[in-house]
Amino acid sequence: MKKWYDEEYEFIIEVIGFLRGEKTKNYCRNGEEPGDVYTCTYGCPVNKDGQGICSKAMMTLYPLMEAVRSGGDLTKLGGDGRYSKTVVCPD
């Protein structure tokens, strides 16, 4: 791969908690846990170990990332701020 475009945005995605219980077993097939941090520019987010984020979470995150890249304001999409939003993974 030879990336030729210098991206204007870098995204940081952090797992902050669970909706059900206190563990990932039987809920998150990818094993994400609170405190896990993923970063990306245009590609899919990866953590410090090079592992990718859950594909179901990415389906939810991608439209939000595109909105930011297009100059949008996430508060208009229920965000906590212009560039932040709490998202619930569909898993």
Side-chain angles (χ1 to χ4, degrees):
M1 181 167 103
K2 294 183 181 180
K3 191 153 176 63
W4 56 271
Y5 187 79
D6 188 23
E7 298 290 339
E8 298 175 36
Y9 294 95
E10 178 180 63
F11 297 93
I12 299 170
I13 298 135
E14 181 178 359
V15 179
I16 59 171
F18 301 119
L19 285 179
R20 299 173 290 237
E22 298 294 321
K23 58 185 173 59
T24 62
K25 190 173 182 182
N26 297 325
Y27 294 115
C28 179
R29 292 178 62 177
N30 215 40
E32 270 110 11
E33 296 179 331
D36 287 348
V37 176
Y38 297 83
T39 60
C40 68
T41 54
Y42 188 73
C44 291
V46 295
N47 63 19
K48 63 180 172 38
D49 299 322
Q51 301 296 315
I53 198 165
C54 168
S55 56
K56 289 181 182 179
M58 190 59 195
M59 288 188 314
T60 304
L61 295 171
Y62 182 76
L64 299 172
M65 293 162 67
E66 282 296 292
V68 170
R69 286 187 194 102
S70 301
D73 182 341
L74 293 182
T75 58
K76 296 180 180 177
L77 298 172
D80 311 317
R82 182 178 174 110
Y83 299 116
S84 66
K85 179 174 170 70
T86 301
V87 175
V88 176
C89 178
D91 223 2

XYZ file of all heavy atoms in Angstrom:
711
model
N 0.848 -1.171 0.000
C 0.000 0.000 0.000
C 0.896 1.237 0.000
O 1.880 1.293 0.729
C -0.897 -0.011 1.237
C -1.832 1.158 1.304
S -3.108 0.929 2.545
C -2.509 1.967 3.822
N 0.537 2.202 -0.809
C 1.288 3.454 -0.881
C 0.326 4.618 -0.722
O -0.233 5.119 -1.686
C 2.027 3.546 -2.207
C 3.111 2.503 -2.336
C 3.868 2.656 -3.611
C 4.923 1.579 -3.684
N 5.687 1.661 -4.888
N 0.123 5.014 0.526
C -0.796 6.115 0.811
C -0.209 7.409 0.263
O 0.922 7.758 0.552
C -1.031 6.218 2.315
C -2.159 7.134 2.670
C -2.770 6.720 3.983
C -3.840 7.627 4.446
N -4.996 7.722 3.620
N -0.982 8.122 -0.511
C -0.508 9.341 -1.154
C -1.172 10.596 -0.618
O -0.732 11.703 -0.878
C -0.735 9.267 -2.665
C -2.175 9.019 -3.013
C -2.778 7.797 -3.161
C -3.194 9.983 -3.225
N -4.100 7.941 -3.442
C -4.399 9.296 -3.499
C -3.226 11.371 -3.216
C -5.595 9.945 -3.750
C -4.432 12.014 -3.470
C -5.593 11.293 -3.738
N -2.218 10.439 0.169
C -2.978 11.592 0.640
C -2.719 11.821 2.119
O -2.862 10.903 2.928
C -4.468 11.368 0.385
C -5.323 12.571 0.683
C -5.412 13.618 -0.218
C -6.029 12.669 1.872
C -6.191 14.737 0.048
C -6.818 13.782 2.151
C -6.881 14.807 1.232
O -7.650 15.917 1.500
N -2.336 13.026 2.487
C -2.116 13.375 3.888
C -3.458 13.789 4.499
O -3.970 14.869 4.221
C -1.110 14.527 3.984
C -0.683 14.812 5.407
O -0.790 13.912 6.262
O -0.233 15.943 5.659
N -4.032 12.910 5.317
C -5.363 13.136 5.879
C -5.388 14.335 6.823
O -4.426 14.605 7.539
C -5.843 11.902 6.638
C -5.993 10.673 5.773
C -7.142 10.750 4.797
O -8.070 11.550 5.002
O -7.115 9.999 3.814
N -6.503 15.020 6.838
C -6.686 16.188 7.706
C -7.139 15.798 9.113
O -6.977 16.570 10.049
C -7.722 17.127 7.097
C -7.300 17.680 5.756
C -8.395 18.513 5.116
O -9.120 19.213 5.856
O -8.527 18.448 3.887
N -7.735 14.624 9.262
C -8.297 14.215 10.551
C -7.691 12.902 11.012
O -7.414 12.017 10.217
C -9.814 14.034 10.449
C -10.544 15.318 10.185
C -10.883 15.700 8.891
C -10.893 16.160 11.232
C -11.560 16.880 8.654
C -11.563 17.348 11.003
C -11.899 17.702 9.708
O -12.561 18.875 9.480
N -7.515 12.802 12.325
C -7.182 11.533 12.953
C -8.272 11.280 13.985
O -8.640 12.173 14.748
C -5.827 11.585 13.648
C -5.517 10.263 14.346
C -4.179 10.278 15.055
O -4.019 11.078 16.000
O -3.318 9.489 14.661
N -8.806 10.073 13.987
C -9.886 9.722 14.904
C -9.343 8.842 16.022
O -8.530 7.955 15.786
C -11.004 8.987 14.163
C -11.659 9.838 13.115
C -11.220 9.810 11.809
C -12.691 10.695 13.456
C -11.817 10.612 10.843
C -13.285 11.499 12.502
C -12.847 11.453 11.188
N -9.812 9.100 17.232
C -9.470 8.292 18.394
C -10.781 7.746 18.955
O -11.708 8.502 19.243
C -8.740 9.120 19.461
C -7.442 9.666 18.862
C -8.469 8.276 20.710
C -6.757 10.684 19.736
N -10.859 6.443 19.059
C -12.059 5.772 19.546
C -11.685 5.030 20.823
O -10.734 4.256 20.840
C -12.605 4.789 18.495
C -13.003 5.575 17.249
C -13.778 3.996 19.031
C -12.563 4.962 15.982
N -12.417 5.292 21.900
C -12.125 4.651 23.177
C -13.355 3.902 23.679
O -14.463 4.436 23.667
C -11.711 5.688 24.219
C -11.382 5.061 25.558
C -10.918 6.079 26.594
O -10.838 7.272 26.277
O -10.647 5.656 27.730
N -13.138 2.679 24.122
C -14.212 1.890 24.729
C -14.357 2.383 26.163
O -13.389 2.385 26.927
C -13.874 0.386 24.708
C -14.983 -0.421 25.373
C -13.633 -0.095 23.277
N -15.577 2.825 26.521
C -15.764 3.400 27.862
C -16.621 2.534 28.783
O -16.691 2.803 29.974
C -16.350 4.823 27.787
C -17.703 4.834 27.079
C -15.374 5.770 27.115
C -18.425 6.166 27.159
N -17.290 1.521 28.249
C -18.096 0.683 29.133
C -18.960 -0.295 28.371
O -18.889 -0.404 27.157
N -19.752 -1.019 29.125
C -20.670 -2.020 28.587
C -22.110 -1.638 28.905
O -22.366 -0.999 29.925
C -20.414 -3.396 29.209
C -19.029 -3.918 29.002
C -18.216 -4.189 30.083
C -18.533 -4.148 27.737
C -16.945 -4.694 29.917
C -17.261 -4.641 27.549
C -16.466 -4.919 28.644
N -23.014 -2.069 28.074
C -24.429 -1.883 28.376
C -24.935 -2.963 29.317
O -25.807 -2.741 30.131
C -25.263 -1.921 27.095
C -25.209 -0.696 26.215
C -26.062 -0.909 24.977
C -25.669 0.533 26.965
N -24.368 -4.177 29.160
C -24.821 -5.307 29.963
C -23.634 -5.916 30.702
O -22.660 -6.304 30.079
C -25.438 -6.374 29.057
C -26.631 -5.895 28.286
C -27.075 -6.951 27.306
N -26.087 -7.073 26.251
C -26.345 -6.920 24.961
N -27.554 -6.654 24.563
N -25.393 -7.039 24.074
N -23.728 -6.006 31.990
C -22.699 -6.686 32.772
C -21.378 -5.949 32.828
O -21.271 -4.785 32.497
N -20.351 -6.689 33.244
C -19.018 -6.111 33.427
C -17.950 -6.853 32.639
O -16.764 -6.688 32.901
C -18.656 -6.157 34.924
C -19.587 -5.358 35.809
C -19.503 -3.868 35.539
O -18.401 -3.364 35.298
O -20.565 -3.211 35.552
N -18.334 -7.690 31.677
C -17.353 -8.477 30.928
C -17.766 -8.572 29.462
O -18.919 -8.360 29.118
C -17.230 -9.878 31.532
C -18.550 -10.635 31.557
C -18.406 -11.961 32.267
C -19.716 -12.664 32.467
N -20.507 -13.000 31.350
N -16.788 -8.903 28.618
C -17.088 -9.010 27.191
C -17.555 -10.404 26.790
O -18.223 -10.553 25.779
C -15.840 -8.671 26.344
O -14.814 -9.601 26.640
C -15.388 -7.275 26.585
N -17.195 -11.407 27.562
C -17.532 -12.778 27.196
C -19.029 -12.932 26.950
O -19.849 -12.477 27.732
C -17.081 -13.745 28.280
C -17.180 -15.183 27.849
C -16.568 -16.112 28.859
C -16.659 -17.529 28.359
N -16.124 -18.477 29.317
N -19.358 -13.554 25.840
C -20.726 -13.793 25.378
C -21.411 -12.537 24.837
O -22.581 -12.582 24.495
C -21.595 -14.433 26.462
C -21.098 -15.798 26.863
O -20.594 -16.555 26.024
N -21.198 -16.128 28.124
N -20.721 -11.396 24.797
C -21.292 -10.188 24.217
C -20.463 -9.704 23.035
O -20.946 -9.612 21.928
C -21.417 -9.072 25.258
C -22.404 -9.383 26.352
C -22.005 -9.535 27.661
C -23.757 -9.538 26.062
C -22.910 -9.833 28.665
C -24.670 -9.834 27.059
C -24.244 -9.981 28.351
O -25.141 -10.271 29.332
N -19.208 -9.356 23.279
C -18.355 -8.793 22.231
C -17.430 -9.873 21.672
O -16.514 -10.324 22.359
C -17.533 -7.634 22.785
S -16.421 -6.910 21.565
N -17.659 -10.258 20.442
C -16.831 -11.295 19.817
C -15.404 -10.816 19.602
O -14.479 -11.606 19.506
C -17.436 -11.715 18.488
C -18.741 -12.456 18.668
C -19.348 -12.821 17.365
N -18.473 -13.713 16.608
C -18.796 -14.235 15.450
N -19.956 -13.962 14.900
N -17.973 -15.026 14.821
N -15.211 -9.503 19.502
C -13.876 -8.950 19.287
C -13.111 -8.788 20.603
O -11.917 -8.595 20.603
C -13.982 -7.599 18.578
C -12.860 -7.353 17.616
O -12.444 -8.264 16.908
N -12.371 -6.135 17.569
N -13.810 -8.855 21.721
C -13.175 -8.794 23.035
C -12.803 -7.410 23.513
O -11.955 -7.262 24.390
N -13.423 -6.375 22.958
C -13.114 -5.028 23.419
C -13.472 -4.866 24.892
O -14.455 -5.409 25.358
C -13.863 -3.969 22.592
C -13.091 -3.519 21.393
C -13.696 -4.008 20.108
O -14.813 -4.507 20.142
O -13.026 -3.892 19.074
N -12.636 -4.106 25.589
C -12.840 -3.852 27.008
C -12.700 -2.363 27.285
O -12.018 -1.660 26.533
C -11.804 -4.620 27.832
C -11.937 -6.125 27.688
C -10.887 -6.869 28.495
O -9.782 -6.326 28.702
O -11.190 -7.985 28.915
N -13.317 -1.859 28.361
C -13.145 -0.444 28.711
C -11.664 -0.100 28.811
O -10.875 -0.853 29.369
C -13.845 -0.328 30.064
C -14.889 -1.398 30.028
C -14.238 -2.543 29.286
N -11.322 1.030 28.224
C -9.926 1.470 28.202
C -9.223 1.179 26.892
O -8.177 1.758 26.614
N -9.774 0.272 26.081
C -9.176 0.005 24.765
C -9.305 1.257 23.897
O -10.368 1.883 23.857
C -9.869 -1.165 24.060
C -9.533 -2.511 24.678
O -8.607 -2.581 25.502
O -10.209 -3.495 24.317
N -8.231 1.619 23.218
C -8.208 2.817 22.384
C -7.797 2.425 20.975
O -6.833 1.681 20.778
C -7.226 3.867 22.948
C -7.136 5.071 22.023
C -7.646 4.302 24.338
N -8.529 2.921 20.000
C -8.275 2.672 18.577
C -8.058 4.014 17.888
O -8.715 4.998 18.226
C -9.468 1.961 17.946
C -9.720 0.597 18.527
C -10.438 0.450 19.705
C -9.232 -0.534 17.916
C -10.657 -0.792 20.257
C -9.441 -1.794 18.454
C -10.156 -1.918 19.620
O -10.369 -3.152 20.162
N -7.144 4.059 16.924
C -6.908 5.288 16.174
C -6.908 4.991 14.679
O -6.622 3.867 14.257
C -5.556 5.947 16.536
O -4.511 5.026 16.242
C -5.513 6.345 17.990
N -7.236 6.012 13.901
C -7.201 5.870 12.454
C -7.273 7.240 11.805
O -7.613 8.228 12.445
C -8.341 5.000 11.945
S -9.968 5.742 12.135
N -6.953 7.268 10.531
C -7.207 8.459 9.720
C -8.340 8.082 8.781
O -9.494 8.215 9.149
C -5.945 8.930 8.973
O -5.410 7.861 8.210
C -4.910 9.469 9.936
N -8.043 7.539 7.615
C -9.107 7.122 6.707
C -9.378 5.627 6.793
O -10.484 5.183 6.600
C -8.768 7.500 5.265
C -9.918 7.252 4.323
C -11.026 8.082 4.344
C -9.924 6.162 3.464
C -12.104 7.854 3.508
C -10.990 5.931 2.622
C -12.078 6.768 2.640
O -13.142 6.543 1.824
N -8.376 4.837 7.107
C -8.545 3.392 7.195
C -9.325 2.987 8.439
O -9.788 3.818 9.210
N -9.439 1.684 8.642
C -10.158 1.176 9.805
C -9.326 1.352 11.075
O -8.112 1.212 11.045
C -10.495 -0.295 9.607
S -11.738 -0.557 8.336
N -9.968 1.649 12.199
C -9.255 1.872 13.454
C -8.554 0.617 13.962
O -9.098 -0.483 13.897
C -10.369 2.281 14.419
C -11.507 2.700 13.564
C -11.400 1.901 12.315
N -7.337 0.796 14.481
C -6.574 -0.285 15.103
C -6.085 0.169 16.467
O -5.903 1.355 16.707
C -5.371 -0.741 14.237
C -5.827 -1.363 12.935
C -4.423 0.397 13.974
N -5.842 -0.804 17.350
C -5.328 -0.473 18.683
C -3.806 -0.548 18.679
O -3.177 -0.783 17.643
C -5.958 -1.358 19.761
C -5.632 -2.829 19.585
O -4.692 -3.209 18.900
N -6.419 -3.677 20.219
N -3.186 -0.368 19.843
C -1.725 -0.361 19.941
C -1.106 -1.696 19.558
O 0.063 -1.755 19.204
C -1.286 0.057 21.341
C -1.721 -0.880 22.447
C -1.240 -0.385 23.798
C -1.790 -1.149 24.959
N -1.959 -2.540 24.865
N -1.890 -2.774 19.607
C -1.408 -4.101 19.236
C -1.645 -4.408 17.758
O -1.379 -5.518 17.304
C -2.082 -5.170 20.097
C -1.778 -4.991 21.578
O -0.628 -4.619 21.906
O -2.688 -5.201 22.399
N -2.200 -3.449 17.024
C -2.463 -3.652 15.602
C -3.750 -4.409 15.317
O -4.016 -4.782 14.180
N -4.576 -4.624 16.343
C -5.848 -5.335 16.177
C -6.927 -4.341 15.768
O -7.018 -3.254 16.331
C -6.245 -6.032 17.482
C -5.235 -7.038 17.973
C -5.083 -8.202 17.019
O -6.067 -8.752 16.531
N -3.860 -8.572 16.737
N -7.768 -4.727 14.828
C -8.827 -3.846 14.348
C -10.043 -3.823 15.248
O -10.294 -4.749 16.013
N -10.794 -2.743 15.124
C -12.028 -2.594 15.892
C -13.095 -3.545 15.342
O -13.021 -3.977 14.194
C -12.507 -1.127 15.873
C -13.498 -0.865 17.003
C -13.089 -0.761 14.525
C -13.718 0.608 17.271
N -14.068 -3.839 16.142
C -15.194 -4.693 15.764
C -15.874 -4.162 14.494
O -16.142 -2.958 14.385
C -16.173 -4.720 16.930
S -17.784 -5.420 16.570
N -16.154 -5.031 13.556
C -16.772 -4.606 12.294
C -18.171 -4.039 12.508
O -18.587 -3.125 11.796
C -16.824 -5.774 11.315
O -17.509 -6.871 11.879
N -18.885 -4.533 13.510
C -20.222 -3.985 13.789
C -20.123 -2.564 14.324
O -20.937 -1.713 13.976
C -20.966 -4.876 14.783
C -21.390 -6.201 14.190
C -22.147 -7.010 15.211
C -22.533 -8.359 14.665
N -23.237 -9.163 15.664
N -19.133 -2.298 15.153
C -18.929 -0.940 15.650
C -18.515 -0.028 14.499
O -18.957 1.116 14.402
C -17.873 -0.917 16.744
N -17.695 -0.537 13.596
C -17.227 0.267 12.472
C -18.376 0.687 11.564
O -18.364 1.792 11.024
C -16.165 -0.499 11.673
C -15.456 0.329 10.654
S -14.633 1.736 11.403
C -14.306 2.715 9.965
N -19.382 -0.158 11.417
C -20.554 0.212 10.603
C -21.251 1.436 11.190
O -21.796 2.258 10.462
C -21.558 -0.950 10.515
C -21.095 -2.081 9.655
S -22.354 -3.347 9.365
C -23.047 -3.651 10.961
N -21.231 1.563 12.506
C -21.845 2.699 13.179
C -20.936 3.928 13.119
O -21.402 5.052 12.949
C -22.143 2.341 14.648
O -22.961 1.173 14.677
C -22.852 3.470 15.362
N -19.632 3.705 13.254
C -18.673 4.809 13.308
C -18.402 5.454 11.952
O -18.194 6.666 11.871
C -17.350 4.314 13.901
C -17.409 3.861 15.354
C -16.103 3.190 15.744
C -17.706 5.040 16.259
N -18.384 4.664 10.892
C -17.989 5.186 9.581
C -18.814 6.402 9.128
O -18.235 7.409 8.722
C -18.024 4.081 8.523
C -17.590 4.574 7.173
C -16.242 4.786 6.904
C -18.514 4.861 6.175
C -15.831 5.256 5.666
C -18.113 5.340 4.943
C -16.769 5.528 4.700
O -16.368 6.014 3.491
N -20.147 6.368 9.208
C -20.907 7.560 8.792
C -20.585 8.797 9.632
O -20.585 9.919 9.118
C -22.372 7.150 8.984
C -22.370 5.676 9.030
C -21.040 5.266 9.568
N -20.278 8.603 10.907
C -19.919 9.734 11.761
C -18.563 10.306 11.347
O -18.374 11.522 11.308
C -19.887 9.302 13.228
C -21.209 8.788 13.784
C -21.018 8.203 15.172
C -22.251 9.893 13.787
N -17.626 9.430 11.030
C -16.311 9.874 10.581
C -16.431 10.635 9.255
O -15.780 11.661 9.052
C -15.385 8.665 10.450
C -15.074 8.031 11.801
S -14.433 6.354 11.725
C -12.858 6.584 10.968
N -17.277 10.163 8.375
C -17.492 10.856 7.100
C -18.139 12.222 7.319
O -17.818 13.179 6.628
C -18.364 10.009 6.169
C -17.615 8.882 5.502
C -16.518 9.377 4.579
O -16.818 9.988 3.530
O -15.339 9.176 4.916
N -19.031 12.315 8.293
C -19.662 13.601 8.599
C -18.610 14.614 9.047
O -18.612 15.762 8.605
C -20.729 13.426 9.684
N -17.683 14.193 9.900
C -16.620 15.084 10.357
C -15.718 15.481 9.193
O -15.379 16.649 9.026
C -15.798 14.421 11.498
C -14.545 15.220 11.802
C -16.659 14.270 12.741
N -15.344 14.498 8.374
C -14.482 14.792 7.219
C -15.130 15.792 6.267
O -14.460 16.528 5.569
C -14.166 13.514 6.456
C -13.183 12.618 7.126
C -12.798 11.461 6.198
N -12.128 10.441 6.936
C -12.665 9.300 7.337
N -13.913 9.010 7.031
N -11.963 8.433 8.022
N -16.442 15.806 6.232
C -17.181 16.694 5.330
C -17.484 18.046 5.965
O -18.214 18.850 5.393
C -18.504 16.031 4.914
O -18.255 14.807 4.274
N -16.969 18.277 7.156
C -17.184 19.558 7.819
C -18.393 19.599 8.724
O -18.795 20.664 9.187
N -18.998 18.450 8.967
C -20.193 18.390 9.801
C -19.915 18.574 11.277
O -18.777 18.545 11.731
N -20.968 18.758 12.023
C -20.927 18.987 13.459
C -21.679 17.836 14.125
O -22.885 17.669 13.907
C -21.600 20.331 13.759
C -21.580 20.705 15.221
O -21.378 19.826 16.079
O -21.798 21.894 15.501
N -20.994 17.031 14.927
C -21.632 15.858 15.525
C -22.713 16.198 16.547
O -23.530 15.347 16.878
C -20.581 14.938 16.154
C -19.625 14.270 15.161
C -18.651 13.350 15.890
C -20.385 13.497 14.089
N -22.764 17.447 17.034
C -23.858 17.810 17.939
C -25.198 17.743 17.207
O -26.227 17.487 17.821
C -23.679 19.219 18.545
O -23.593 20.172 17.492
C -22.456 19.286 19.423
N -25.169 17.934 15.905
C -26.403 17.843 15.115
C -26.837 16.396 14.896
O -27.933 16.138 14.408
C -26.219 18.553 13.777
C -25.989 20.039 13.971
C -25.804 20.763 12.681
C -25.575 22.238 12.970
N -25.322 23.011 11.785
N -25.949 15.455 15.264
C -26.264 14.030 15.174
C -26.316 13.401 16.558
O -26.085 12.213 16.724
C -25.211 13.314 14.313
C -25.125 13.790 12.868
C -23.929 13.153 12.170
C -26.409 13.460 12.127
N -26.580 14.229 17.570
C -26.676 13.726 18.940
C -25.348 13.619 19.654
O -25.248 12.947 20.683
N -24.319 14.268 19.136
C -22.994 14.191 19.732
C -22.837 14.999 21.008
O -23.623 15.896 21.293
N -21.784 14.665 21.747
C -21.447 15.359 22.990
C -20.747 16.690 22.697
O -20.681 17.560 23.552
C -20.516 14.495 23.845
C -21.025 13.070 23.989
O -22.233 12.895 24.200
O -20.213 12.134 23.872
N -20.186 16.810 21.516
C -19.470 18.007 21.083
C -19.338 17.964 19.574
O -19.762 17.005 18.931
N -18.725 18.997 19.022
C -18.587 19.074 17.563
C -17.880 17.845 16.988
O -18.230 17.351 15.929
C -17.838 20.339 17.191
C -17.707 20.498 15.707
C -16.996 21.779 15.313
N -16.795 21.785 13.894
C -17.419 22.571 13.031
N -18.289 23.441 13.479
N -17.177 22.494 11.756
N -16.868 17.360 17.715
C -16.082 16.236 17.217
C -16.138 15.010 18.124
O -15.254 14.163 18.066
C -14.622 16.655 17.037
C -14.446 17.770 16.043
C -13.964 19.003 16.436
C -14.760 17.598 14.708
C -13.799 20.031 15.536
C -14.618 18.622 13.780
C -14.122 19.828 14.213
O -13.967 20.849 13.299
N -17.152 14.893 18.964
C -17.252 13.718 19.825
C -18.691 13.230 19.939
O -19.631 14.017 19.902
C -16.690 14.030 21.223
O -17.489 14.973 21.871
N -18.812 11.926 20.071
C -20.140 11.313 20.213
C -19.962 9.971 20.900
O -19.047 9.219 20.590
C -20.781 11.121 18.844
C -22.167 10.468 18.907
C -22.807 10.436 17.546
C -24.050 9.619 17.478
N -25.202 10.121 18.155
N -20.836 9.678 21.835
C -20.856 8.368 22.470
C -21.735 7.458 21.620
O -22.858 7.807 21.290
C -21.423 8.467 23.901
O -20.588 9.363 24.648
C -21.438 7.112 24.581
N -21.180 6.296 21.271
C -21.859 5.362 20.376
C -21.994 4.027 21.077
O -21.070 3.584 21.775
C -21.055 5.183 19.065
C -21.664 4.137 18.174
C -20.927 6.507 18.336
N -23.110 3.355 20.882
C -23.312 2.009 21.432
C -23.115 1.013 20.309
O -23.730 1.096 19.256
C -24.739 1.873 22.014
C -24.973 0.449 22.499
C -24.955 2.869 23.132
N -22.189 0.073 20.535
C -21.949 -0.981 19.539
C -23.182 -1.871 19.451
O -23.789 -2.215 20.463
C -20.745 -1.808 19.957
S -20.398 -3.178 18.832
N -23.569 -2.251 18.243
C -24.769 -3.087 18.091
C -24.603 -4.521 18.591
O -25.556 -5.265 18.637
C -25.037 -3.068 16.585
C -23.818 -2.537 15.946
C -23.039 -1.815 16.967
N -23.391 -4.897 18.976
C -23.154 -6.279 19.439
C -23.807 -6.515 20.753
O -23.700 -6.324 21.778
C -21.642 -6.559 19.507
C -21.306 -7.922 18.950
O -22.206 -8.632 18.484
O -20.119 -8.253 18.968
